[in-house]
Amino acid sequence: MGSRVRRGAAGIGALTAIAVAVAAAAGAPGAEPGRASGAGAARASAGAPALTLPAPTGRYPVGTTALHLTDRHRSDPWVAGQRHRELMVSVRYPATRDAGRFPRAPQMTRAEAVGFDGLNTFADHVPAGKVAWGATLTHAHQGAPVARPAGRRLPVVLYSPGAGDPRALGSTLCDELASRGYAVVTVDHTYEAPAVQFPDGRVAHSVMRAELAKAQRTGRITELLEKVSAVRVADTRFVLDTLALTGRDAVLPPALRGALDLTAVGMFGQSAGGFTAAQTMHDDRRIRAAVNMDGVMGYTQRDDDPSHPSTVGRDGVDRPLLLMGMAGDDHHSVASWDAVWRHSAARGTWLRDLTLRGGRHASFTDAEALVPQIARQLGLSRKDVTEMIGTARPERAVAAERAYVTAFFDRWLRGRDRGNLLDGPSARHPEVRFVP
């Protein structure tokens, strides 16, 4: 979810989620002091009921496949001596009607769930070992046949998660876009995410605790934030390069080869993932439109601090950008958003700034659907729930996010206008405020 520091109080921010997510971690990778870890965490949560995610609303069932990608031109930036950067990504896509014959993909593998249990940013409210994170199923069917609407290639949307989060925590929105005819590519940023499992069983645990401690000791927090952003952008651009490979070098399964339209690429993300989407669009002309969901776009630990701007902050962008913020976050209150807004507007860029009334930072992740279920299971207070996902009705928040993100990509990747939803306030979604 990427917790951040906002305006001098405990709040939410993009890359400084690292500090909140891993500062307390100690002992074994992916564990916190005094908390269940490894097999112990898995056993402790084994009896907990499975959580469920909202079903997508598009016309297509959803298929998915996981890809293990290796960048042989880049050594790993976080682990010395590791010659190549390895990533796990998932591709979601519209599937044929018989997709139900194929098993539904878990939100996380067992090993990834154990890692998330130890380092997730619900930790202040949800004790480790109490939630069966590995039991949640997505609505995507593994290996289901690909549907190509009217024989056309599928526009592509990339997804980057919040700092310290797994790619799996955006499953609700990713499944939704796939059900509406998009190929959605989700990226785990290895050694930043709590745990990333590779096909051979290896698990790469987060190293952010050690990186943060070193940065604090040497007074180089800004440099750490810059490095995290640079690694994320490099990961994303490598994924785009790899999707385009053909012939013997192709990484996509045969059914998806030639099915993706890499001339129609958008990107979105939450928290640091939103910053990654905007920064990647700034750096790479292949990204035609981007959505930043509550992510600070500068190398700072305060929302209102304009120091240490990113290049997207200094230059703005010249392609469509949608900002979606929790209550209190907009281009008037978040310094880095103001910088991007001013410089982009000066270039005549299409911009929108939407606030989710009553929303919190995690409202733009699967937490919006999962936290109420966790609260009922564990007897959490209303205050606990509000601190995690705010006061917006979860089903209304999810519906609004689905509607506006889909409308944005429909307009800019497909040339379709979804009922003029992006042109002003809608009675269908009173939870969404257009920020002038």
Side-chain angles (χ1 to χ4, degrees):
M1 283 164 291
S3 296
R4 60 176 197 249
V5 178
R6 64 187 262 105
R7 292 180 279 284
I12 314 280
L15 298 177
T16 48
I18 299 166
V20 177
V22 305
E32 292 191 16
R35 291 175 176 263
S37 63
R43 286 194 299 269
S45 63
L51 306 175
T52 61
L53 295 169
T57 64
R59 62 181 294 191
Y60 296 99
V62 177
T64 189
T65 188
L67 304 176
H68 175 204
L69 307 181
T70 302
D71 187 349
R72 301 193 179 280
H73 301 288
R74 181 170 51 132
S75 59
D76 194 279
W78 298 117
V79 178
Q82 189 154 315
R83 295 175 56 196
H84 306 305
R85 176 70 167 165
E86 294 183 76
L87 301 174
M88 287 301 300
V89 307
S90 292
V91 183
R92 284 174 162 80
Y93 52 85
T96 56
R97 293 181 180 179
D98 61 347
R101 296 191 298 106
F102 296 81
R104 286 168 59 185
Q107 186 183 27
M108 305 177 207
T109 69
R110 181 179 176 277
E112 290 166 347
V114 169
F116 184 71
D117 189 64
L119 283 180
N120 77 83
T121 47
F122 297 114
D124 287 345
H125 304 280
V126 182
K130 298 297 184 182
V131 176
W133 299 111
T136 304
L137 297 178
T138 69
H139 292 275
H141 298 268
Q142 295 173 313
V146 182
R148 293 178 62 173
R152 293 188 292 267
R153 291 185 298 164
L154 308 173
V156 176
V157 177
L158 299 161
Y159 174 76
S160 179
D165 282 345
R167 70 191 193 276
L169 208 60
S171 293
T172 298
L173 276 173
C174 293
D175 281 350
E176 179 70 15
L177 286 168
S179 80
R180 294 182 178 275
Y182 290 90
V184 185
V185 183
T186 67
V187 184
D188 260 339
H189 300 289
T190 313
Y191 297 115
E192 181 193 321
V196 179
Q197 185 170 14
F198 296 104
D200 61 5
R202 287 177 298 129
V203 180
H205 292 281
S206 175
V207 300
M208 288 298 109
R209 172 180 172 266
E211 292 292 332
L212 177 64
K214 181 169 65 175
Q216 290 174 326
R217 186 173 61 253
T218 59
R220 298 177 66 85
I221 292 291
T222 299
E223 289 81 357
L224 173 60
L225 301 182
E226 290 174 342
K227 180 176 178 178
V228 170
S229 178
V231 170
R232 284 167 157 263
V233 171
D235 286 347
T236 306
R237 300 184 74 178
F238 166 68
V239 169
L240 265 179
D241 292 343
T242 304
L243 292 175
L245 295 175
T246 59
R248 294 177 61 184
D249 296 325
V251 298
L252 291 169
L256 281 170
R257 294 176 193 172
L260 275 55
D261 184 356
L262 293 174
T263 69
V265 180
M267 186 170 180
F268 78 113
Q270 183 262 358
S271 192
F275 180 10
T276 304
Q279 186 66 56
T280 305
M281 183 166 71
H282 171 276
D283 294 354
D284 197 314
R285 301 296 305 180
R286 290 175 292 183
I287 307 294
R288 290 176 47 181
V291 183
N292 176 359
M293 306 173 80
D294 215 45
V296 173
M297 293 184 282
Y299 309 117
T300 175
Q301 297 180 77
R302 291 176 57 98
D303 284 11
D304 58 355
D305 181 3
S307 65
H308 308 300
S310 61
T311 53
V312 70
R314 291 197 298 266
D315 302 336
V317 292
D318 62 358
R319 279 147 287 153
L321 176 65
L322 173 63
L323 303 177
M324 300 183 73
M326 72 174 188
D329 281 358
D330 57 48
H331 70 276
H332 301 297
S333 62
V334 180
S336 61
W337 285 26
D338 171 64
V340 174
W341 188 274
R342 285 186 290 104
H343 292 119
S344 300
R347 303 172 73 170
T349 302
W350 185 99
L351 299 164
R352 290 291 184 274
D353 185 352
L354 308 181
T355 295
L356 178 63
R357 302 178 196 269
R360 295 285 288 174
H361 191 57
S363 296
F364 298 100
T365 72
D366 290 340
E368 190 66 45
L370 299 179
V371 164
Q373 299 173 63
I374 295 169
R376 289 191 294 271
Q377 290 180 15
L378 303 185
L380 302 182
S381 69
R382 180 60 195 167
K383 180 175 180 289
D384 289 330
V385 173
T386 298
E387 288 180 354
M388 287 187 278
I389 60 170
T391 57
R393 288 172 52 194
E395 67 277 12
R396 297 293 306 163
V398 169
E401 292 161 17
R402 285 171 158 175
Y404 284 94
V405 171
T406 301
F408 177 79
F409 288 124
D410 278 354
R411 176 178 285 195
W412 298 112
L413 300 186
R414 286 174 155 161
R416 302 177 185 172
D417 211 335
R418 193 174 169 79
N420 301 313
L421 191 61
L422 295 165
D423 295 334
S426 169
R428 287 177 290 160
H429 300 289
E431 303 82 7
V432 175
R433 171 178 173 257
F434 278 65
V435 181

